[in-house]
Structure formats: structure tokens, C-alpha cells
Amino acid sequence: MNKCYGYDERMDFFYNRTKADTADQWTGAQLIGVLCFGTFFCLFIFISNSLVIAAVVKNKRFHFPFYYLLANLAAADFFAGIAYVFLMFNTGPVSKTLTVKHWFLRQGLLDTSMTASLVNLLVIAVERHMSIMRMKIHSNLTKKRVTFLIISIWAIAIFMGAVPTLGWNCLCDITVCSSLAPIYSRSYLVFWSVLNLVVFFIMVVVYIRIYMYVQRKTNVLSSHTSGSISRRRTPVKLMKTVMTVLGAFVVCWTPGLVILLLDGLNCTDCGIQNVKRWFLLLALLNSVMNPIIYSYKDDEMWATMKRMICCSSEDRSHDRRSSRIPSTVLCRSTDTSGHYIEDGIIQGTICGKGGLGDKGNS
């Protein structure tokens, strides 16, 4: 009969059993390097995501479903920074001194934050897909539905972070313990990594569909009108934005998911212990890049944050036309003839005044 270990058990037993000797090697230059990079990233996460949330609250032009979800993504990334700070103070040689309960809390925070960010990205992708297919600046989601989505995102994230604590672990069967997470069951690591890779694949499909749809409709419009230089550049700008989103996610998440999957499959010769800390930093980069990709390319968002940083109350640059493309945002079309509106892509997220729908009727 297998022995079940309690939540007050020290982690040194599990680390020694799984031969996770890198916990002792997290010292010297390597540990200092990881802590320095981690501190810098966390500071940037706290500042940039706080600015995003404040901008959405302050600017009434952002009181729409997409920006509520964007603020929630910023909150998830902010939480990721908190989780990583907690990890930095409870890693390296300290890991072996933790109790099982304390270690579950450490990993649960990380799993919750990463799941929240990932599900947020998926929901934003679906919301953008719904809006673009209907050629609207925002989807038809009501505030109640957005609130329900946000609550559901965090419920899923908290549940996924708590699953190992609730019983899917190896405390009662140490033969199935993983190497990277000494009290996680290998079957759970396989489940978690495969699930996230599937979500990643769905996001890729959604954004590729968005890009192909907008490019096709833009080409149709261009064939009937001479168009300006900025219009002709729209498909290229859209491609760069979409590829930035996809590339950032691939680079930041795939390596970590792959090593978790390899560990779950009990690959003892893959050398995963030597790279786990760097892949964790790489995953953290996703929370650093999200504010840049989803917010700073939105001219109105950038202007709002810039005014807050400069502590200026002047309302400037509101009517300035943007030469940059916000990430996959289109304007609402009021043209009943079915023509596709691309000024929303060129001008920014807010197109209420002087929109092309009005131009088409002029």
C-alpha cells in the first residue's frame, strides 16, 4: 500500500528522490542573472500593465468590450509579475526548505497567472474575430457578458492552478512524480501542456483567418479604388501586427510547454533540468510583451498613457490621424452597400467622427 505524504512534509525528500539537483545549483552567477532579469521584467510588468489598466479606466473611449478584456489581460499579466516575485524569493536552495503546502502555493500562483493570461489572449482573439467578420469596431458583447467572461477567465485560471492541490498530484504515489515539479503527477503535466498547446493552435488559426479575411477584402476594395499609399500598405501592416502577436506567443510559450510535455512523458535524457529556469523567464516575457503588442500600437492608448506619464492634463493628439495600425481593430461600417471599411485599420480604434461610413455617404 502506497504511503500518502502530508502537506506539512518538507520538499527536500521529493527533490532528492527525483534527483532535481539543479535546486542546489541555483547559486552564484546563474542565480544572480536570473534574479536580475526577473526583477527587471517584473518591474516593467507592474508599471506597463498598471498604465494599461489606468488608461482604460480613465479614457471613456476605451469603455468597450475589447478594452475591458484588454484591461483584464493587463491584470492577469500584473498577477504574473506578483507570482514571479513570490517565486524568486522561494526558489534555488530555498526550494528544499519549503513545505508541500508552501510549494503548492508557489506553483499554483504561477499556473493561475499563466492560465489567466493565456485564456485572456484566446478570448481577445475570438472577440476580434467576431468584430472583424461583422466589420464593427467592437463586438456586440454587453457589459454583463463581458463581466461574465472575465469572471469565467479567472475561475478557469484559479481552478487550473488548484487542480494539483485538489488531488492530481503524486503525494500518494511517488513513482509517478515528475522531475521539474517533484510533487506533480506526470500525467497532469501532459494534460496541462497538451491543453495549452491546443489553445495555442486555436489562436494561430483564429489570427490567420483574421489576416486572410482582411487581406482579401482589402484587395477587393483596392481593385475598385485607386487608394492612398497608407491604404495600400494596410495588408502589410496588418501582417506585421498579426505575426508579432503569433511570434511572441510561439517564442515565449512553446519551449516551456515542450519541456513540460517531455517531463510528463518521463524523458530522462532530454536535459530539461538545465534549461527550465531560462524557459520560465521566456514564458514571463509574454507578460512583458503583451502591453506593447496589444496597447502601444493603439495610438489612442499610447497617447493616454503618455499623458499620464507626463502628468499632463492637456487633451492633445485626440484628432491626430495615426500612421500606425492597432492590433486587428476595425471600424464600424454604416455603409449598407456592403463595402468594406479599412480606414478603421489605418486611423485607429476610434472612428466615430469622420468615419468612412460617413465618407461613403458624402
Side-chain angles (χ1 to χ4, degrees):
M1 184 175 180
N2 294 328
K3 175 184 177 181
C4 288
Y5 295 87
Y7 280 34
D8 293 329
E9 188 82 22
R10 278 170 55 97
M11 286 298 300
D12 55 349
F13 168 77
F14 297 96
Y15 274 108
N16 292 334
R17 187 188 177 281
T18 57
K19 299 180 180 180
D21 53 359
T22 52
D24 287 332
Q25 295 175 3
W26 269 43
T27 56
Q30 287 186 340
L31 180 59
I32 293 175
V34 171
L35 291 178
C36 287
F37 277 110
T39 302
F40 173 78
F41 290 156
C42 289
L43 287 175
F44 184 84
I45 288 172
F46 293 147
I47 295 172
S48 61
N49 286 287
S50 296
L51 285 173
V52 172
I53 296 173
V56 172
V57 173
K58 181 179 180 180
N59 195 330
K60 292 183 178 180
R61 295 187 178 185
F62 298 147
H63 293 180
F64 294 99
F66 170 76
Y67 288 103
Y68 294 147
L69 293 173
L70 183 66
N72 191 49
L73 173 62
D77 290 331
F78 188 96
F79 186 80
I82 296 176
Y84 194 80
V85 169
F86 189 83
L87 172 66
M88 287 193 298
F89 285 98
N90 293 278
T91 191
V94 180
S95 297
K96 288 188 174 183
T97 66
L98 301 177
T99 62
V100 169
K101 179 169 59 178
H102 197 175
W103 194 93
F104 269 137
L105 175 62
R106 189 190 79 174
Q107 296 305 122
L109 290 174
L110 287 173
D111 292 346
T112 299
S113 63
M114 292 183 178
T115 303
S117 295
L118 185 61
V119 178
N120 263 286
L121 290 171
L122 176 62
V123 172
I124 288 176
V126 174
E127 194 274 344
R128 288 295 85 200
H129 183 272
M130 292 169 56
S131 300
I132 290 173
M133 293 304 164
R134 297 173 182 176
M135 301 306 297
K136 296 180 179 180
I137 182 174
H138 297 297
S139 64
N140 292 329
L141 292 174
T142 63
K143 288 186 178 180
K144 289 184 178 180
R145 290 180 179 179
V146 173
T147 301
F148 174 76
L149 281 175
I150 291 174
I151 294 175
S152 298
I153 288 170
W154 284 103
I156 293 172
I158 294 173
F159 174 75
M160 291 301 297
V163 165
T165 309
L166 295 175
W168 201 345
N169 54 57
C170 62
L171 292 179
C172 292
D173 187 3
I174 59 176
T175 61
V176 298
C177 290
S178 71
S179 175
L180 291 178
I183 54 178
Y184 275 15
S185 172
R186 289 196 299 269
S187 60
Y188 174 75
L189 288 188
V190 172
F191 164 78
W192 197 85
S193 57
V194 170
L195 178 63
N196 283 277
L197 286 172
V198 170
V199 174
F200 164 71
F201 176 77
I202 293 174
M203 287 183 59
V204 172
V205 172
V206 169
Y207 276 112
I208 289 178
R209 178 175 169 81
I210 290 173
Y211 166 69
M212 294 179 64
Y213 181 83
V214 175
Q215 185 184 49
R216 184 173 66 253
K217 297 307 177 183
T218 302
N219 290 337
V220 170
L221 183 60
S222 299
S223 64
H224 291 83
T225 61
S226 57
S228 63
I229 295 177
S230 60
R231 287 193 182 194
R232 291 195 294 269
R233 290 177 178 173
T234 297
V236 176
K237 291 182 179 180
L238 179 63
M239 180 180 66
K240 289 181 179 180
T241 301
V242 175
M243 293 310 296
T244 300
V245 173
L246 297 178
F249 191 82
V250 170
V251 171
C252 293
W253 283 89
T254 302
L257 293 175
V258 169
I259 66 167
L260 285 177
L261 181 59
L262 291 175
D263 186 35
L265 296 175
N266 200 24
C267 181
T268 56
D269 300 325
C270 297
I272 54 179
Q273 291 287 350
N274 300 325
V275 296
K276 66 178 184 180
R277 71 196 66 157
W278 305 112
F279 287 171
L280 179 60
L281 279 175
L282 199 57
L284 181 70
L285 268 176
N286 188 235
S287 295
V288 174
M289 300 175 74
N290 283 338
I292 299 173
I293 298 173
Y294 287 94
S295 303
Y296 295 169
K297 287 191 175 185
D298 185 322
D299 204 51
E300 181 72 19
M301 176 70 75
W302 172 246
T304 303
M305 291 190 292
K306 189 176 180 180
R307 287 195 297 271
M308 290 190 298
I309 293 174
C310 297
C311 298
S312 172
S313 60
E314 295 180 5
D315 188 15
R316 59 186 184 273
S317 302
H318 272 224
D319 297 326
R320 179 169 58 87
R321 286 175 176 258
S322 171
S323 60
R324 295 176 294 168
I325 174 174
S327 52
T328 61
V329 180
L330 293 176
C331 279
R332 182 185 301 270
S333 170
T334 58
D335 186 354
T336 57
S337 63
H339 287 180
Y340 290 86
I341 310 305
E342 54 181 327
D343 266 3
I345 307 174
I346 302 169
Q347 294 178 5
T349 59
I350 305 300
C351 308
K353 294 183 178 181
L356 280 189
D358 295 331
K359 291 181 181 180
N361 294 328
S362 60

